[in-house]
Amino acid sequence: MRSLIDHARGFPKRIEDRREEFARLASGQRPQALFISCSDSRVMPSLFTGARPGEIFELRTAGNIVPRYRPQAACAVAGTLEFAIEALHVPDIVVCGHSHCGAVRALIHRPTVTDMPLVERWIDWAGHRPAPSAEREPSPSPDDDADAVTRHHVLTQLEHLRTYPCVARRLADGRLRLHAWFYTVETGRVLAHRPGTGAFEPL
C-alpha cells in the first residue's frame, strides 16, 4: 500500500506540465467508449488501449459480467450502462474478457467458489444462454480450454447488453456499436470478435 500512497502524493507534481489537459477535464467528459472489463488487477484497459483521462468510461465487474435487463432491479452495472448511454452518449461499448480469469474458472468448476456465496450468486448472472450462431463460437463445455470458454462468455455478455432498452434503441438507429475483445495477460495481445467469421482475430 505504501507505494500507492507515495505515488498519489506525488501525482500533482508529476502532471504539472499537463495542467491545461486536466483543467479541461473539469468541465465535463466525452468518452469515446464504455469499456466493460473484469475487476482483475492484471487487466488495465487504459494501459493496453493507451487511453488518456476522459477517453474511456470504465465499468469493471468480477468476470466482466453484465446481468440481463431486469425492469424492477437496480444495480451498479445497469446504472452505469444507462448513464454512459443516456448522459454521455457513448458511440461504442467494448466487453473485454481476459485469459486466466477466475470468474470463468468458476463457471467451469463451480466448487472453486462454493465457500464464497456472494461470488457464486454473482456468477449465476453470467447466464450462458445460446446466442445467434453468427455471433458466437460453439458453446463451450467443461472440457474446453478456459480461453474458449472466456470468448463465449464475452459474447454472452454482449447478448445481455442487447436486452437493455437504451442499448436496443441506439443499436436500432445506428448510434451504437458493440465490440467483444479478449486480452491475453502474459503477452498483452488483444483479439476482437469478427461477426462475419464468428472468430476472434488480432486487432
Side-chain angles (χ1 to χ4, degrees):
M1 189 67 189
R2 172 53 55 187
S3 65
L4 303 180
I5 294 172
D6 290 343
H7 189 87
R9 283 175 174 164
F11 187 66
K13 185 171 183 61
R14 282 193 296 277
I15 63 168
E16 280 185 347
D17 60 343
R18 298 170 60 189
R19 284 182 178 176
E20 290 186 8
E21 175 188 348
F22 278 79
R24 286 194 298 271
L25 293 173
S27 65
Q29 59 174 322
R30 286 297 300 272
Q32 297 179 27
L34 167 61
F35 204 98
I36 303 174
S37 62
C38 185
S39 304
D40 195 299
S41 62
R42 299 165 295 181
V43 180
M44 300 177 65
S46 60
L47 182 65
F48 60 81
T49 64
R52 297 172 69 84
E55 292 186 340
I56 58 174
F57 195 66
E58 290 191 45
L59 170 57
R60 305 191 65 168
T61 73
N64 48 265
I65 291 171
V66 178
R68 293 178 64 85
Y69 175 66
R70 295 168 293 154
Q72 306 306 318
C75 70
V77 174
T80 301
L81 176 61
E82 185 176 63
F83 184 80
I85 291 175
E86 301 290 6
L88 301 179
H89 308 293
V90 294
D92 293 271
I93 299 177
V94 178
V95 178
C96 184
H98 67 95
S99 62
H100 314 291
C101 182
V104 170
R105 185 169 62 248
L107 286 170
I108 301 172
H109 303 294
R110 277 307 181 95
T112 61
V113 292
T114 52
D115 61 340
M116 294 180 280
L118 296 179
V119 174
E120 189 170 23
R121 287 173 60 190
W122 176 248
I123 294 299
D124 285 338
W125 291 114
H128 281 184
R129 301 180 181 183
S133 58
E135 290 293 324
R136 64 179 177 87
E137 296 180 334
S139 298
S141 73
D143 295 327
D144 287 335
D145 69 87
D147 286 354
V149 176
T150 301
R151 291 191 294 268
H152 174 79
H153 168 69
V154 170
L155 294 174
T156 300
Q157 306 321 301
L158 229 59
E159 290 304 310
H160 288 183
L161 280 174
R162 297 177 190 276
T163 67
Y164 287 78
C166 58
V167 172
R169 284 194 301 270
R170 278 174 167 71
L171 286 173
D173 61 22
R175 289 185 291 162
L176 183 65
R177 296 176 294 269
L178 303 183
H179 311 267
W181 286 12
F182 176 83
Y183 173 73
T184 305
V185 169
E186 61 268 37
T187 66
R189 190 184 194 202
V190 179
L191 304 178
H193 180 252
R194 307 299 184 196
T197 66
F200 278 79
E201 302 171 358
L203 284 174

